[in-house]
Amino acid sequence: MTLSKLHSDGMSFDWERLVFEVSDNVDGFVSVDNWSVLGMTIRSGVPCAERRPQPLSVSMARRAIVPIAPRCPYPCTVATPKIVLFYVFTPLPDPEAIRLWQHRVCESLGLRGRIIVSSHGINATVGGDIREVKRYVKATREYAAFRDADIKWSDGVGEDFPRLTVRVRPEIVTFGVPDEVEVDENGVVGGGTRLSPDELHTLIDERGDEVAFLDGRNAIEAQIGRFRGAIVPDVDTTRDFVGLLESGELDHLKHAPIVTYCTGGVRCEVLSALMRHRGFTDVYQLDGGIVRYGERFADQGLWEGSLYVFDKRMSIEFGSPTVIGRCVECGTPTSRVVNHPDRNGRELAVACEECVPTGA
């Protein structure tokens, strides 16, 4: 129904306070913010001088009183896509209940992304318009065990995930050793010493070249960005790290200071614990991962290149970094990662636009 239709039916209007009946509302009321009603854009303006009613596409469902100031014209609401990344290691006695709750919250807000729940905790990456993402974060923090979650925000590009998936699995990050991982209310038991970005620099100032960086991600991720001088294992999946640790390949570092790092920190929570279980004595983990380090130092620190991310963007930058990735086909410098089999048949590859055009 439109305001023009109501007007033509002989209804009078108080332009300072109109009564709408809208199909989408929260807690029985509708707020008007920058001339949008819960994301429904008002497309037709009202000339200030005339104040004549113009068509508004607002469907009728539940009664709500909405104060409206006589401003003109009504600007369109512009979506602001955001992505949040977080994890919490904490004992969850009923992962299925958490899965149902998280799915219901995301679905009701129209959010997409990937959420993994296990008896060890939760690992989530969720995207959508900033207003709905904020509501999701608020709802998630209402659960006591998730109240202090370190929520990492970044800009999205819109429809960053093809769908919403919320699953229960044995581990929230799959190393393939769920029975080896012990979790209490403080997180993973026996993990490496946490280092903030500044504490990492202090460690390097104190111990210099003794410090080794171990990339806790898949090899394809490190092709476009990594810490300077880092050890990058040739692994295709997180499961491969257990075999690497047990192969003896890294035994020369068992008593050296080793800093593990990954995208947001979740993989290194477990990796550092597995290393200590296998005799590595001086293990650290970069708290908050590359994301927090990049936020702190941008392209002025020890990080080189771009950061691979698991959504439509494929990669993000901190500042204006040097491009260290190389196209798998022609060798041109690029940070572009695409879903395209390389010469080894892998699903992801670093490839320039000329060799693998968008949509190819």
Side-chain angles (χ1 to χ4, degrees), residues 10-201:
M11 297 183 67
S12 61
F13 298 89
D14 177 358
W15 282 93
E16 301 295 327
R17 196 168 184 81
L18 295 180
V19 177
F20 285 79
E21 290 183 11
V22 300
S23 60
D24 191 1
N25 60 81
V26 175
D27 297 331
F29 67 91
V30 175
S31 64
V32 175
D33 180 18
N34 195 29
W35 298 106
S36 69
V37 180
L38 286 179
M40 295 184 292
T41 302
I42 298 177
R43 291 181 292 274
S44 299
V46 179
C48 291
E50 302 178 17
R51 286 196 178 184
R52 289 201 303 263
Q54 298 292 320
L56 302 180
S57 300
V58 181
S59 59
M60 310 292 280
R62 183 187 294 184
R63 190 174 181 80
I65 297 177
V66 185
I68 297 183
R71 283 191 258 165
C72 322
Y74 303 114
C76 291
T77 299
V78 178
T80 305
K82 290 287 183 178
I83 295 174
V84 288
L85 166 72
F86 74 95
Y87 67 88
V88 179
F89 280 100
T90 188
L92 296 179
D94 192 351
E96 178 61 18
I98 299 296
R99 184 194 74 80
L100 291 171
W101 164 58
Q102 284 282 297
H103 191 278
R104 183 171 65 250
V105 171
C106 289
E107 193 172 51
S108 69
L109 295 171
L111 302 179
R112 298 178 181 179
R114 291 183 294 272
I115 301 174
I116 300 173
V117 184
S118 84
S119 59
H120 298 156
I122 186 172
N123 184 14
T125 308
V126 173
D129 186 72
I130 186 171
R131 185 172 179 179
E132 281 67 43
V133 175
K134 283 183 175 180
R135 288 179 174 178
Y136 166 74
V137 170
K138 181 179 179 181
T140 297
R141 288 194 188 278
E142 289 176 357
Y143 183 61
F146 301 159
R147 185 171 295 130
D148 297 324
D150 178 18
I151 309 292
K152 303 170 183 71
W153 290 79
S154 61
D155 295 331
V157 295
E159 296 186 356
D160 295 284
F161 301 91
R163 65 188 66 85
L164 170 67
T165 60
V166 187
R167 296 191 174 100
V168 172
R169 290 182 176 170
E171 303 167 275
I172 63 173
V173 56
T174 308
F175 281 87
V177 287
D179 295 336
E180 186 179 342
V181 179
E182 182 183 355
V183 173
D184 64 18
E185 65 277 5
N186 297 313
V188 177
V189 176
T193 303
R194 298 176 185 278
L195 294 175
S196 69
D198 288 289
E199 289 170 338
L200 170 62
H201 282 207

Side-chain angles (χ1 to χ4, degrees), residues 70 113 175 216 287 334:
F175 281 87
D287 198 18
T334 181

Side-chain angles (χ1 to χ4, degrees), residues 79-347:
T80 305
K82 290 287 183 178
I83 295 174
V84 288
L85 166 72
F86 74 95
Y87 67 88
V88 179
F89 280 100
T90 188
L92 296 179
D94 192 351
E96 178 61 18
I98 299 296
R99 184 194 74 80
L100 291 171
W101 164 58
Q102 284 282 297
H103 191 278
R104 183 171 65 250
V105 171
C106 289
E107 193 172 51
S108 69
L109 295 171
L111 302 179
R112 298 178 181 179
R114 291 183 294 272
I115 301 174
I116 300 173
V117 184
S118 84
S119 59
H120 298 156
I122 186 172
N123 184 14
T125 308
V126 173
D129 186 72
I130 186 171
R131 185 172 179 179
E132 281 67 43
V133 175
K134 283 183 175 180
R135 288 179 174 178
Y136 166 74
V137 170
K138 181 179 179 181
T140 297
R141 288 194 188 278
E142 289 176 357
Y143 183 61
F146 301 159
R147 185 171 295 130
D148 297 324
D150 178 18
I151 309 292
K152 303 170 183 71
W153 290 79
S154 61
D155 295 331
V157 295
E159 296 186 356
D160 295 284
F161 301 91
R163 65 188 66 85
L164 170 67
T165 60
V166 187
R167 296 191 174 100
V168 172
R169 290 182 176 170
E171 303 167 275
I172 63 173
V173 56
T174 308
F175 281 87
V177 287
D179 295 336
E180 186 179 342
V181 179
E182 182 183 355
V183 173
D184 64 18
E185 65 277 5
N186 297 313
V188 177
V189 176
T193 303
R194 298 176 185 278
L195 294 175
S196 69
D198 288 289
E199 289 170 338
L200 170 62
H201 282 207
T202 299
L203 177 69
I204 293 172
D205 288 342
E206 293 174 348
R207 305 187 66 173
D209 293 341
E210 286 184 73
V211 180
F213 283 99
L214 178 63
D215 199 312
R217 304 171 299 158
N218 301 339
I220 183 69
E221 300 174 61
Q223 286 185 28
I224 64 169
R226 53 189 174 268
F227 275 98
R228 192 176 305 145
I231 298 167
V232 179
D234 185 19
V235 298
D236 293 326
T237 71
T238 304
R239 288 178 177 271
D240 296 337
F241 275 96
V242 175
L244 173 72
L245 295 177
E246 295 177 349
S247 70
E249 186 176 336
L250 300 178
D251 281 2
H252 63 289
L253 298 172
K254 279 201 168 180
H255 302 294
I258 305 176
V259 178
T260 62
Y261 69 88
C262 57
T263 306
V266 64
R267 284 177 278 189
C268 292
E269 296 269 9
V270 178
L271 176 59
S272 63
L274 298 182
M275 292 177 69
R276 296 185 76 175
H277 295 170
R278 287 159 178 78
F280 291 83
T281 60
D282 199 5
V283 183
Y284 301 85
Q285 55 179 310
L286 181 57
D287 198 18
I290 302 162
V291 172
R292 288 289 184 237
Y293 185 89
E295 291 172 351
R296 173 68 179 86
F297 290 109
D299 57 354
Q300 301 302 307
L302 303 171
W303 176 257
E304 298 179 331
S306 304
L307 172 62
Y308 176 83
V309 291
F310 296 87
D311 56 65
K312 180 180 178 181
R313 299 170 298 172
M314 302 300 279
S315 67
I316 60 174
E317 282 75 41
F318 305 110
S320 302
T322 301
V323 177
I324 67 171
R326 294 291 182 270
C327 175
V328 70
E329 298 294 338
C330 70
T332 297
T334 181
S335 294
R336 184 170 175 263
V337 181
V338 295
N339 289 301
H340 173 71
D342 64 9
R343 296 184 188 280
N344 296 317
R346 289 179 286 207
E347 294 181 359

